[in-house]
C-alpha cells in the first residue's frame, strides 16, 4: 500500500508499465462527469461522487487481477487498510475480482490531492467515515496486474 500526494507521483511510475498513463488520466479527471472510462492497455477508471459510509459497517476488500490507484478530487474520506494474511475471508466474487474480509485494520484520512495505491495483498475500505458523513469526489483507476 502506498499513500502520497499527487505532486509526488513521478516516484511511482516504475511500479507498473502503465502507471504514468494512469497518473496522466488523473490530471483530466476533475473535469469529467461521473462514470466509467476505458483507457489504453486494459486500464479503466471510474469517476464517482457521493457520501461516505460508516467505517465499521463495511467489509475490507481486495482484488487479485487489478491494482487500485484511488485519488481524492474533492471532499474527503476515511480509508482503512490491512494485509490479507492478517484477515478472515468472508466471501468472494471472482467474476468481478472482489474478495471480502473481516479483521483489524488501520485507517487514515484521505484529503483532496492525496492518492493511494492498493496491491493484491492490500485489503481496503474506501469512501468511509468514523463520525460524520463527508461528501467526496474521486477517481479509481484499475491497472491490470502484470504477469
Amino acid at each position: 500500500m502506498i499513500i502520497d500526494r499527487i505532486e509526488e507521483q513521478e516516484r511511482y511510475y516504475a511500479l507498473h508499465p502503465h502507471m504514468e498513463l494512469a497518473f496522466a488520466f488523473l490530471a483530466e479527471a476533475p473535469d469529467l462527469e461521473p462514470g466509467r472510462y476505458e483507457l489504453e492497455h486494459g486500464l479503466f477508471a471510474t469517476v464517482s461522487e457521493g457520501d461516505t459510509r460508516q467505517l465499521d459497517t463495511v467489509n475490507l476488500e481486495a482484488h487479485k487481477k487489478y491494482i487500485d490507484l484511488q485519488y481524492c478530487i474533492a471532499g474527503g474520506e476515511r480509508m482503512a487498510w490491512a494485509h490479507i494474511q492478517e484477515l478472515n475471508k468472508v466471501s468472494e466474487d471472482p467474476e468481478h475480482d472482489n474478495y471480502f474480509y473481516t479483521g483489524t485494520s488501520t485507517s487514515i484520512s484521505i484529503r483532496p490531492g492525496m492518492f493511494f495505491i492498493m496491491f493484491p495483498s492490500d485489503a481496503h475500505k474506501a469512501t468511509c467515515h468514523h463520525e460524520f458523513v463527508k461528501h467526496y469526489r474521486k477517481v479509481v483507476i484499475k491497472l491490470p496486474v502484470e504477469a
Side-chain angles (χ1 to χ4, degrees):
M1 182 217 14
I2 294 169
I3 300 172
D4 209 337
R5 296 214 31 93
I6 197 69
E7 298 85 3
E8 303 296 331
Q9 65 183 283
E10 289 180 16
R11 72 176 61 191
Y12 305 105
Y13 291 172
L15 292 175
H16 188 279
H18 305 299
M19 190 65 76
E20 189 171 356
L21 170 67
F23 276 107
F25 180 82
L26 294 182
E28 314 173 15
D31 298 324
L32 296 174
E33 292 295 318
R36 181 178 164 130
Y37 295 84
E38 299 296 328
L39 308 176
E40 299 173 64
H41 308 291
L43 281 69
F44 65 93
T46 304
V47 176
S48 63
E49 61 182 288
D51 292 328
T52 56
R53 309 165 289 172
Q54 180 65 39
L55 188 68
D56 60 6
T57 65
V58 180
N59 283 332
L60 290 145
E61 68 178 63
H63 315 289
K64 292 182 180 180
K65 297 178 185 174
Y66 291 95
I67 297 166
D68 273 11
L69 169 58
Q70 300 197 25
Y71 173 62
C72 182
I73 298 169
E77 65 181 298
R78 193 87 182 166
M79 180 276 298
W81 170 87
H83 193 283
I84 61 172
Q85 289 182 349
E86 300 170 355
L87 301 171
N88 301 307
K89 188 188 292 186
V90 293
S91 65
E92 59 183 56
D93 179 3
E95 182 179 344
H96 296 102
D97 193 34
N98 289 319
Y99 300 84
F100 299 98
Y101 300 85
T102 58
T104 303
S105 60
T106 301
S107 68
I108 186 169
S109 292
I110 304 295
R111 296 175 301 282
M114 293 176 73
F115 68 87
F116 56 94
I117 300 172
M118 294 291 169
F119 298 94
S121 60
D122 297 319
H124 53 283
K125 298 179 187 185
T127 64
C128 292
H129 65 269
H130 273 302
E131 297 176 355
F132 304 105
V133 174
K134 292 186 100 173
H135 192 76
Y136 67 87
R137 181 169 169 78
K138 71 182 296 180
V139 60
V140 177
I141 300 179
K142 300 285 193 172
L143 296 101
V145 173
E146 295 293 311

